[in-house]
Each structure stands twice: as structure tokens, then as C-alpha cells.
Amino acid sequence: MTEAEPQGTPPPGDPIELRLRRALGDRSIVLVGLMGAGKSTVGRRLASRLGLMFRDADIEIETAAKLTIPDIFAIYGEPSFRDGEERVIARLMREGPLVLATGGGAFMRASTRERIAERGVSVWLKAELDVLMRRVRKRGGRPLLQTDDPEETLRGLMELRHPVYATADVVVLSRDVAHDRVVQDVMEALDAHLNGPVSPRLDSQGIAAQ
């Protein structure tokens, strides 16, 4: 697991987009994390930077079921939703390379984690509780937060899920900055994970280029 620290301007050489596409090959980038972490927003922008398809697993599930996720939960229950989620993610992983945003509970299934490890690189977008709460309050339709105390519910989900999210290949802090800054953090963390530190270029006399 590689945890990202915000970086400065990368050293000269091949563009980071080219390095990542080359290192990924036919693997996909899979974004995991809690609701409100920014997986869909960051994922779309990341896919655009890399010239890859973007897929949102929740949207794909709703399309396949012809129901909204709240309706799936209400009619069939969470276990049935999770089964369908696993099948949809398995299908999407076969369509790679792409950038895939997953639902908050998807990475909790061992079989899904194994499939992601086989065909992709996982990135945990980690956010603090206050950041998540500000974001989820702006958008309803979160079945797991339909409780008397949504903040306490989300805190419980963090305690349960963070140890599993921490097994992702890369961890990037999702904070209240411009989305493009978080996208750049993700790319730099992936570059470090896939390619290792970039050595400085040397001139003919063996001196590092400025």
C-alpha cells in the first residue's frame, strides 16, 4: 500500500499520463472509499486525463436493475444488492482498462477485492468524517444513512470499513481542495506505486538536469 503525500511539480521526462498508461497495460484503476469521498467526481476527471473510459458501479447497477439503489435496498434488501453489485463489478473489470468508481460497501467483499487485485489497481480515497458529512448532506438517497443519527452511523462505517480500505494498493487523502488537485495526487501516487521514484535525467557529463 502506498499512501500519497501532496507532491510538487514532477521531474522532467515522459508525461505522467503516458507513464501511467504504459504501466497499467490492460489493468483498471478502481476507486474505493466511503460515500462522499469523491470517487465519481475524481474518477471522471482522472479518466479524462488518462484517456480511459469511466464507469460508476452504482449507475451501472441502477441501469441493470431498472431501479434506483434506494429502491433496490427497500424492495430486495442489502444482501441482494451486494450480490448484484459483485456481478456488475466483475463484468466491468472484464471491460478494462478503465477507471471504475465503486460503492462504499463493494470493497468489503473478499471476492470483489480479489477480482480487483487480479485485474486492477485499487485506490482508497480517504476523507475525514467532517468532510464526508458536509458532502453527503448535499445529496440524499443514501440508504445506509437513513437513521436517527447519520453522523454516528457514518462514524461506525468508518470504524468497520477503514481497516479493509487500508489494504488498497494506494491511499490518497480526499480533502476540500479543487478536484483537479486530488486527481493530480491520485496520479502521482499511482505513478510512485507502479513506476517507483523517477530518477533525474543526467546530461553528458553525468550531472542532473535542472
Side-chain angles (χ1 to χ4, degrees), residues 183-202:
V183 171
Q184 187 66 29
D185 290 346
V186 171
M187 293 177 66
E188 291 172 8
L190 283 168
D191 193 28
H193 174 72
L194 295 169
N195 295 315
V198 178
S199 299
R201 294 187 301 172
L202 302 180

Side-chain angles (χ1 to χ4, degrees), residues 12-45:
D14 288 336
I16 190 170
E17 293 88 351
L18 180 59
R19 292 198 304 271
L20 288 176
R21 285 297 301 267
R22 184 189 300 130
L24 282 169
D26 62 357
R27 290 179 294 176
S28 294
I29 298 169
V30 182
L31 303 178
V32 306
L34 284 167
M35 61 190 83
K39 302 183 293 291
S40 296
T41 302
V42 170
R44 287 190 186 91
R45 294 176 184 231

Side-chain angles (χ1 to χ4, degrees), residues 39-185:
K39 302 183 293 291
S40 296
T41 302
V42 170
R44 287 190 186 91
R45 294 176 184 231
L46 177 63
S48 179
R49 285 282 302 271
L50 295 176
L52 293 173
M53 295 184 297
F54 171 74
R55 294 288 184 268
D56 185 313
D58 283 351
I59 292 175
E60 297 290 329
I61 292 165
E62 290 183 332
T63 300
K66 297 182 174 58
L67 291 168
T68 66
I69 287 176
D71 284 344
I72 296 171
F73 267 74
I75 297 169
Y76 299 107
E78 184 175 359
S80 179
F81 169 79
R82 297 300 175 194
D83 290 341
E85 180 178 55
E86 180 176 5
R87 291 192 298 271
V88 166
I89 290 174
R91 170 175 59 80
L92 293 171
M93 293 300 294
R94 292 193 295 270
E95 297 177 2
L98 49 79
V99 176
L100 174 61
T102 63
F107 204 61
M108 299 302 291
R109 279 210 172 186
S111 55
T112 296
R113 292 196 301 274
E114 291 168 6
R115 186 167 286 106
I116 291 171
E118 290 170 1
R119 295 178 174 267
V121 181
S122 52
V123 179
W124 174 21
L125 290 184
K126 181 180 182 181
E128 300 299 331
L129 178 63
D130 60 331
V131 173
L132 295 174
M133 285 304 303
R134 281 198 300 273
R135 293 174 179 175
V136 299
R137 285 192 181 105
K138 296 176 183 177
R139 178 185 169 191
R142 309 278 189 175
L144 295 182
L145 293 186
Q146 303 307 306
T147 64
D148 292 335
D149 190 343
E151 183 169 339
E152 185 60 30
T153 300
L154 188 54
R155 184 179 289 107
L157 288 172
M158 292 175 76
E159 293 175 358
L160 175 66
R161 294 179 176 178
H162 276 198
V164 178
Y165 293 155
T167 65
D169 297 310
V170 171
V171 182
V172 174
L173 185 63
S174 177
R175 58 205 198 282
D176 281 338
V177 295
H179 294 306
D180 287 337
R181 178 63 257 180
V182 179
V183 171
Q184 187 66 29
D185 290 346

